[in-house]
Amino acid sequence: MAAHIGRRLRKGAATTAVAAAAVAALSASQAPGATVDDQGRQSTGDATSAPDTAADDSATGNSPYYTDLPPLNSPNPSPSAGSGDAGDQRAGEAGIPATVLDAYKQAEATLREKKPGCNLPWQLLAAIGKVESGQARGGRVTADGTTVTPILGPQLDGNGFALIRDTDNGAYDGNRMYDQAVGPMQFIPSTWDWAGRDGNGDGRKDPNNIYDAALAAGHYLCRFDWDLSQQGDLRKAILSYNNSTDYLNTVLSWLEFYRRGTHEIPDGTGALPVDRSDDTARPGVTPSAPGTTPPARPGKPSGSRPSPSPAAPGDGGSPSTPPVTPPPATPPTPTDTVHHLEDAGTGTLTAMAGHTFAERVSTRAETEAGKAVAKVRIRFTLVGDTDTTFTGGETVATVTTDASGVAVAPALQAGERTGAFAVQAAVVGRSVKGVPYRATVTARAADALALAGEKEPTCVAGGEFAEPVQVKATYRGEAAGKVAVTATLVTSADDPAENDKGPYFKDADGKAVRSLTGLKTDADGRLTLPKLYADDTAGTFLLRLTTAGGATLDVKLTVEPAAAPSPEPDPSTDPAPSTDPAPSTDPSTDPSETPAA
């Protein structure tokens, strides 16, 4: 026992030094104005973009985590850095199991494509994976990345931990009374339900698969349009995963460690963490580690009959077992008091494709008597055939009601798919009737069109227009990109019927057409029409352009007559050639020449 305590003390002294160095290295670039609230949680002055930090709105439900800090030796020890057990142990502490490391790097590559503005480093996933599960319990995973045995945190029953009643009917954690964090990245079921991803392409979203879990963690950290290259956003993202300043500092220390370099080790050979944040959460009870069955809570039956207690001092009577005091009833949570949800004044949910909805969904939680209920988790889910998302690219968002019982969903960002869909509001952890909200995405539109060129198009009959027609579309003064445009050569300003003569376009077969659909402006609202040709009819013609939203532009096309060719000489009208003989050049025969006297 003394030797064990000595090892723990030496380890604590070493790891504390590493933590201090890592935090000091990071502190110079941390966001200004950081504060710690009365719950010991760290935040910044940017309250508008801070996440909801209720226990079950974090990825882990603020479950316990490993507090071991990085070793003092280099992240990339040379082969001669140590020998025997000591060298192997240092390599195991500094290295990352091969499959686990590959999962982190694949997740980073995917997020670089899907959310490039997030700037997610794989080392952050490695830091969180180390703190949450010791890199999937030292890399004990199968070839496809699934943990050899499920990794479960303790049940979140409010006894030393957060209170989160069952939300998945035991589907992920096997517990139908309370939720437990699941898998190598320790997602609670209610979060995995919307954050889960298929990272290994097997068609399943398994929280116990490191590829799935790492990709889900990456998406979770990249929501709210956070840029993880910015220290303020990085801190918010980590705190949203587990809302504890100690957790933040532990993750940052491993992040700094892995950024200095690491190396790959075989699966199953990673060092297992020792210290846990709940080591002292429940005095007298040995804390559980992920992957083990949590011990019974103090004062609660463990499922087996209690052993008889020693006989109490008495008058010599037979020993007796003192009565077991039943545990006190758990007081109702705010969620338990919710009777129904009401719309809290949400306006019409309509937006143009590619635009942000002006209105946000607002829901109020009430008791049966109509009293507002604060601190209730409301889950907003997009339902239907739509590519619209909440800000940050997610289709599910969980928000906690405020003091007035109201939860306001993040702003909706319309995709390109038009039509109606629904936003469903429901209480997390309680089966009460939800509130559906109808939303509609309309086609992109423009309210103005203008000719981009300075001159009206002109050509000669039978020829082609030298310059293509170019126009620009705007909506409320801003460039209207990706707007559908129809171009028709109309009969006249008062007759929108398609003309049967004059200028024309050519189809793919080279045939004349005088109406085009499917045209779209570019991102800057500009459109260059295909080349125009003219038949033999001279005159002034109209090209009419129309868009969704009512914008119309008539472009005047002028076709000038072709130049008349020079006439061929007509032999019948030429003067007859002279029949007089050519004048003589002999002076003796020329009467005009008079000989000299």
Side-chain angles (χ1 to χ4, degrees):
M1 175 63 72
H4 174 72
I5 294 174
R7 286 196 300 271
R8 291 289 294 272
L9 289 174
R10 288 194 296 276
K11 178 178 179 65
T15 54
T16 299
V18 173
V23 174
L26 289 163
S27 62
S29 58
Q30 289 172 358
T35 60
V36 178
D37 65 14
D38 58 357
Q39 301 299 318
R41 296 178 299 207
Q42 186 147 358
S43 61
T44 67
D46 184 9
T48 58
S49 59
D52 186 338
T53 53
D56 56 336
D57 287 336
S58 68
T60 68
N62 298 332
S63 293
Y65 56 91
Y66 288 110
T67 58
D68 296 47
L69 294 171
L72 292 175
N73 57 292
S74 167
N76 284 307
S78 64
S80 60
S83 60
D85 293 341
D88 293 341
Q89 182 180 1
R90 287 198 296 271
E93 289 177 335
I96 300 177
T99 300
V100 178
L101 179 60
D102 182 59
Y104 296 150
K105 291 184 175 181
Q106 280 200 29
E108 178 198 55
T110 300
L111 268 298
R112 190 184 303 124
E113 176 186 353
K114 299 293 185 182
K115 296 184 178 181
C118 178
N119 295 305
L120 171 78
W122 67 261
Q123 292 91 340
L124 177 58
L125 297 176
I128 291 176
K130 180 70 174 180
V131 170
E132 292 295 347
S133 68
Q135 310 297 19
R137 303 295 290 157
R140 295 182 63 235
V141 295
T142 60
D144 71 345
T146 302
T147 57
V148 175
T149 56
I151 299 177
L152 293 174
Q155 67 179 16
L156 302 174
D157 59 4
N159 193 354
F161 307 117
L163 173 60
I164 306 179
R165 301 188 190 281
D166 176 55
T167 62
D168 66 330
N169 198 29
Y172 296 118
D173 55 14
N175 190 333
R176 296 187 179 184
M177 291 189 65
Y178 301 98
D179 273 350
Q180 294 175 248
V182 182
M185 303 304 278
Q186 288 289 277
F187 280 95
I188 55 172
S190 59
T191 302
W192 181 262
D193 189 52
W194 63 265
R197 295 293 191 278
D198 176 15
N200 63 350
D202 64 356
R204 300 173 60 239
K205 299 176 183 178
D206 182 2
N208 279 299
N209 181 280
I210 186 59
Y211 288 98
D212 295 358
L215 183 59
H219 276 279
Y220 185 90
L221 294 165
C222 287
R223 70 201 195 288
F224 299 121
D225 291 329
W226 281 330
D227 177 0
L228 302 186
S229 67
Q230 301 296 317
Q231 203 61 229
D233 283 358
L234 173 65
R235 295 171 68 87
K236 292 176 191 175
I238 296 172
L239 285 169
S240 79
Y241 210 89
N242 191 312
N243 193 36
S244 160
T245 305
D246 289 339
Y247 180 88
L248 169 69
N249 291 333
T250 305
V251 170
L252 288 176
S253 67
W254 281 104
L255 171 60
E256 181 68 14
F257 179 79
Y258 288 135
R259 275 177 167 166
R260 296 201 308 269
T262 186
H263 59 279
E264 178 183 299
I265 60 175
D267 289 346
T269 64
L272 299 181
V274 175
D275 301 320
R276 298 247 313 166
S277 62
D278 59 338
D279 278 353
T280 58
R282 291 170 286 120
V285 180
T286 303
S288 63
T292 63
T293 302
R297 299 289 187 263
K300 294 201 174 187
S302 64
S304 60
R305 294 182 63 86
S307 301
S309 301
D315 299 327
S318 62
S320 62
T321 301
V324 177
T325 303
T330 303
T333 66
T335 301
D336 295 330
T337 67
V338 177
H339 178 265
H340 60 272
L341 296 178
E342 293 285 347
D343 175 25
T346 305
T348 302
L349 297 170
T350 302
M352 188 188 303
H355 289 238
T356 301
F357 283 70
E359 285 286 329
R360 294 169 65 176
V361 178
S362 182
T363 301
R364 176 181 163 96
E366 297 182 353
T367 64
E368 186 173 7
K371 183 180 178 180
V373 184
K375 299 182 180 180
V376 174
R377 309 172 314 274
I378 305 298
R379 179 178 297 137
F380 299 95
T381 306
L382 304 187
V383 181
D385 185 16
T386 182
D387 56 355
T388 295
T389 64
F390 291 110
T391 301
E394 304 294 346
T395 58
V396 178
T398 303
V399 181
T400 300
T401 57
D402 59 18
S404 62
V406 174
V408 180
L412 288 166
Q413 178 65 42
E416 296 300 323
R417 195 170 301 163
T418 60
F421 64 97
V423 182
Q424 184 73 30
V427 178
V428 176
R430 184 79 190 277
S431 296
V432 299
K433 186 177 181 181
V435 178
Y437 297 83
R438 179 183 173 85
T440 305
V441 176
T442 60
R444 289 178 178 263
D447 55 17
L449 281 170
L451 191 64
E454 297 180 357
K455 297 181 180 180
E456 292 183 343
T458 303
C459 81
V460 176
E464 59 185 52
F465 289 80
E467 298 294 332
V469 175
Q470 293 183 324
V471 296
K472 182 172 183 178
T474 56
Y475 182 76
R476 296 180 180 176
E478 301 291 334
K482 301 181 182 180
V483 174
V485 179
T486 298
T488 305
L489 289 146
V490 297
T491 302
S492 68
D494 299 325
D495 186 356
E498 183 179 309
N499 208 337
D500 59 358
K501 58 185 177 181
Y504 60 90
F505 301 104
K506 287 184 179 180
D507 63 13
D509 298 325
K511 296 180 180 179
V513 294
R514 291 186 168 87
S515 183
L516 294 178
T517 58
L519 304 172
K520 280 193 175 181
T521 61
D522 62 16
D524 296 325
R526 295 183 176 274
L527 171 65
T528 300
L529 272 66
K531 183 181 285 292
L532 276 164
Y533 303 86
D535 62 12
D536 295 334
T537 308
T540 300
F541 302 89
L542 285 182
L543 171 63
R544 178 163 293 172
L545 305 173
T546 58
T547 72
T552 301
L553 174 67
D554 285 345
V555 181
K556 186 170 72 171
L557 306 176
T558 301
V559 179
E560 298 175 345
S566 300
E568 294 290 334
D570 186 352
S572 63
T573 60
D574 286 347
S578 174
T579 58
D580 293 339
S584 173
T585 57
D586 186 355
S588 63
T589 61
D590 186 352
S592 64
E593 296 293 335
T594 303

